[in-house]
Amino acid sequence: MTLIDLAIGLATMLLCLVLQVSVTFWVVKYYIRQSARRLSGGGLLAGVRPLLVVMVVMMAGNFLQMALWGALFVVLGEFESFHEAVYHSAVNFTTLGYGDIVMSGKWKLLGPLEAANGVLMFGITSAALMAVLQHLIKAFLAAGDQRQ
């Protein structure tokens, strides 16, 4: 069963990676378009709204991945309730690890695989937010230099 767990887990991780990369490219392109319009005269606060959109959409992408893992757990028969499966998935994905809901031995390896996936996806989210924030700071500083 370990090889089956690994195959299912890695396939799900790949799907999550495709989802997160798609979301990341979209929000970064969105931010660059929006910030070019807003930073030309609006100052630092003008870049906050697009930054907020980036953050919310990136977190929605992470939540969609948790829901994807939760749906997988329901399909595999681990949970009857989608709500409970998504809760368990969120605990795994965020590496919180409450332990109040434990998967059966048959699919137990999927938990650590999801946790590893969550670490990687939150890493991508953090990196994208940092890149956007750096862009905002550089644009703000450049606009300040032009005003002097």
Side-chain angles (χ1 to χ4, degrees):
M1 286 313 271
T2 301
L3 290 177
I4 293 172
D5 288 6
L6 196 56
I8 291 171
L10 291 176
T12 306
M13 290 173 81
L14 180 60
L15 187 57
C16 287
L17 179 64
V18 169
L19 174 68
Q20 193 67 13
V21 167
S22 299
V23 168
T24 301
F25 277 110
W26 183 86
V27 296
V28 168
K29 283 173 49 177
Y30 165 83
Y31 178 79
I32 298 299
R33 284 191 313 269
Q34 292 299 311
S35 66
R37 293 181 198 148
R38 296 180 186 280
L39 290 178
S40 57
L44 180 63
L45 291 178
V48 171
R49 189 177 121 207
L51 181 61
L52 180 62
V53 169
V54 168
M55 182 185 70
V56 168
V57 171
M58 292 289 291
M59 291 308 297
N62 285 317
F63 181 76
L64 280 173
Q65 293 170 72
M66 292 176 215
L68 176 69
W69 280 95
L72 173 65
F73 297 151
V74 170
V75 167
L76 294 175
E78 275 300 304
F79 299 98
E80 292 179 18
S81 160
F82 182 67
H83 178 267
E84 187 176 39
V86 170
Y87 166 78
H88 178 73
S89 176
V91 169
N92 285 340
F93 199 85
T94 60
T95 69
L96 190 55
Y98 280 141
D100 56 338
I101 301 176
V102 181
M103 291 176 52
S104 69
K106 183 177 180 182
W107 300 112
K108 211 170 205 169
L109 182 61
L110 292 177
L113 288 173
E114 183 182 9
N117 184 205
V119 168
L120 293 171
M121 296 306 108
F122 278 123
I124 290 173
T125 298
S126 298
L129 286 171
M130 191 64 207
V132 166
L133 186 58
Q134 285 176 332
H135 180 268
L136 174 63
I137 291 168
K138 285 178 186 176
F140 178 72
L141 291 176
D145 288 342
Q146 291 174 358
R147 290 183 190 141
Q148 291 179 357

